[in-house]
Amino acid sequence: MEILRWKPQDALVMKAPKKNPLILRMVVLLFAMVCGLYIFTFCIKQTNKLRDTNPLKIQVIDRRNWHCRTAQTQEWDFPYVHFPQPETFSRQECACNPVRFFVIVSMQRSGSGWFETLLNSHINLSSNGEIWGAQDRRRNVSMIIKTLDQVYNLDWLSSASKNECSAAVGFKWMLNQGLIAHHEAIADYFNRRGVYVIFLFRRNLLRRLVSVLANVFDKNSKPLNGTHKSHVHSQHEAQILAKYKPTLNATVLVSHLRAAEQTVAKALEYFKSTRHIVLYYEDIVRNSTKLIEVQEFLKLPQRNLTSLQVKIHSGPMSKQIENWDDVRKTLKGTSYENFLHADHKL
């Protein structure tokens, strides 16, 4: 009788049931779709961040004199802190004194001359005046950039230059001196170089118009001993210039005021991406704390700012316009009617 012996290979082998390949494919496809959706969402978020990034943050920081940057300078402030290396002189012991760049953006006869003398009374600030009077300096973008570089490198010499130890350097720029015409390139420059923009306008555009016309008359007639003076430093000179009362063209008066208003709005829109502050002449006259705000804006130590300039046109508008009745009738009932009576004590 043959005895059957058990062998390991005789063991019952349990085979796993075959998986459906269609299910596996569906699982892999679903996994791939989830991963793809996640990656796509992540990329969209990163793209939006890049689009929303403030252009002030996308700047090439000048690493010359990098050793001058102290621990007190915050990283976000690096684009606005500069250490110029002028070609016309040596800053010597002030080489590591940080300098901030600024520009006063305004319109003629808006108080910018008076405002600039106030700023220049600060021992650490140099504002070089209205440098764009010469057409050649603003005939194209290349010349404008060249002039800007010269000013901000402290190589622009003027009576206001404090040179070595200036903590802030800038100038005045009127809207009709190429600023609006080349606004894209100039705004890009301001953002790239970290320029502080100080907008200074006048609320009462009627008073500004009277000042503009009176200044044109003075330029042609020169009542002060044959000399044209846009600004004066004595009450006697102010009284002589204030004797002239311009006649306004009532027919185009409203359109003229509207055009000036639109020009201001356009400038604010074009340069809204810059680091800026908006000031009005009337507010500074009424409230001296506005000058403290400007010094804080430029990160300057606070000083008492003074000016020797004397206001030329003061008193009610009725005493300054030759055809006052025509002007009053023209503006009555319009959005500019308040210009007839506002700030008559300024």
Side-chain angles (χ1 to χ4, degrees):
M1 182 176 178
E2 183 179 358
I3 300 175
L4 296 176
R5 296 180 181 274
W6 180 86
K7 298 179 181 179
Q9 58 267 30
D10 294 333
L12 179 63
V13 178
M14 298 294 294
K15 294 184 179 181
K18 292 184 179 181
K19 294 182 179 179
N20 191 330
L22 181 60
I23 296 178
L24 289 175
R25 290 175 184 173
M26 290 293 291
V27 171
V28 172
L29 180 60
L30 181 62
F31 180 75
M33 290 175 63
V34 172
C35 291
L37 181 62
Y38 173 78
I39 294 173
F40 176 76
T41 304
F42 178 79
C43 291
I44 288 295
K45 288 182 178 179
Q46 294 301 311
T47 302
N48 288 336
K49 286 183 179 180
L50 288 175
R51 287 178 179 173
D52 296 337
T53 299
N54 190 317
L56 295 178
K57 297 179 182 179
I58 307 176
Q59 298 185 11
V60 178
I61 300 175
D62 188 355
R63 295 184 179 273
R64 295 179 302 173
N65 288 346
W66 189 256
H67 63 282
C68 292
R69 299 183 185 276
T70 63
Q72 286 75 28
T73 303
Q74 300 296 323
E75 184 177 353
W76 62 266
D77 206 28
F78 281 0
Y80 306 98
V81 177
H82 308 275
F83 302 92
Q85 295 180 339
E87 298 177 1
T88 53
F89 66 93
S90 172
R91 297 189 72 203
Q92 300 176 2
E93 69 273 10
C94 293
C96 280
N97 282 22
V99 179
R100 295 179 188 269
F101 303 157
F102 72 89
V103 58
I104 303 169
V105 174
S106 188
M107 301 173 75
Q108 284 83 357
R109 314 310 296 176
S110 296
S112 61
W114 168 71
F115 177 72
E116 188 177 41
T117 60
L118 288 169
L119 293 187
N120 273 325
S121 69
H122 197 294
I123 192 173
N124 301 119
L125 183 146
S126 296
S127 190
N128 293 282
E130 199 170 321
I131 67 175
W132 303 102
Q135 292 277 352
D136 186 61
R137 295 173 190 159
R138 51 185 167 97
R139 68 173 184 265
N140 55 48
V141 172
S142 298
M143 285 301 300
I144 290 175
I145 299 301
K146 180 180 178 180
T147 303
L148 290 174
D149 286 342
Q150 188 176 357
V151 172
Y152 291 135
N153 200 47
L154 305 185
D155 284 320
W156 189 273
L157 302 181
S158 72
S159 59
S161 301
K162 299 183 177 69
N163 295 333
E164 294 90 356
C165 294
S166 293
V169 61
F171 56 92
K172 287 196 306 178
W173 203 338
M174 301 296 108
L175 296 184
N176 63 348
Q177 294 177 339
L179 187 65
I180 297 296
H182 305 289
H183 66 90
E184 291 183 353
I186 295 169
D188 176 71
Y189 182 95
F190 287 169
N191 285 326
R192 182 163 44 84
R193 297 299 307 275
V195 177
Y196 291 75
V197 180
I198 302 173
F199 289 106
L200 176 65
F201 299 118
R202 198 160 185 168
R203 293 187 185 278
N204 194 327
L205 297 175
L206 181 62
R207 280 189 175 271
R208 174 184 171 271
L209 178 58
V210 169
S211 183
V212 168
L213 295 176
N215 188 59
V216 172
F217 172 80
D218 176 70
K219 188 175 182 180
N220 295 328
S221 63
K222 300 179 176 61
L224 292 176
N225 300 321
T227 304
H228 167 56
K229 290 188 176 182
S230 295
H231 309 97
V232 297
H233 298 85
S234 73
Q235 288 292 345
H236 175 67
E237 292 178 324
Q239 289 171 3
I240 292 176
L241 296 184
K243 288 180 180 179
Y244 172 72
K245 298 197 299 184
T247 299
L248 278 57
N249 187 337
T251 305
V252 298
L253 180 57
V254 171
S255 61
H256 182 97
L257 295 175
R258 185 181 298 114
E261 198 174 52
Q262 291 173 349
T263 299
V264 170
K266 191 181 298 183
L268 294 175
E269 175 65 24
Y270 286 160
F271 295 95
K272 66 181 181 180
S273 65
T274 64
R275 174 172 285 195
H276 64 270
I277 183 174
V278 181
L279 303 173
Y280 292 92
Y281 167 78
E282 292 86 349
D283 298 343
I284 300 174
V285 173
R286 292 194 186 99
N287 187 359
S288 59
T289 60
K290 288 294 179 180
L291 296 176
I292 296 178
E293 292 180 21
V294 175
Q295 295 177 74
E296 291 176 346
F297 176 65
L298 295 175
K299 312 295 183 184
L300 292 172
Q302 290 186 17
R303 296 287 185 271
N304 181 34
L305 306 183
T306 59
S307 173
L308 296 177
Q309 285 192 13
V310 176
K311 184 177 177 61
I312 298 173
H313 298 96
S314 58
M317 293 296 297
S318 59
K319 303 297 183 181
Q320 300 177 43
I321 300 175
E322 186 67 32
N323 57 333
W324 169 248
D325 289 336
D326 292 339
V327 170
R328 182 174 56 82
K329 292 176 182 177
T330 300
L331 297 184
K332 188 175 182 180
T334 71
S335 58
Y336 307 112
E337 182 178 2
N338 64 309
F339 290 168
L340 299 171
H341 313 291
D343 59 54
H344 69 274
K345 293 183 179 180
L346 291 180

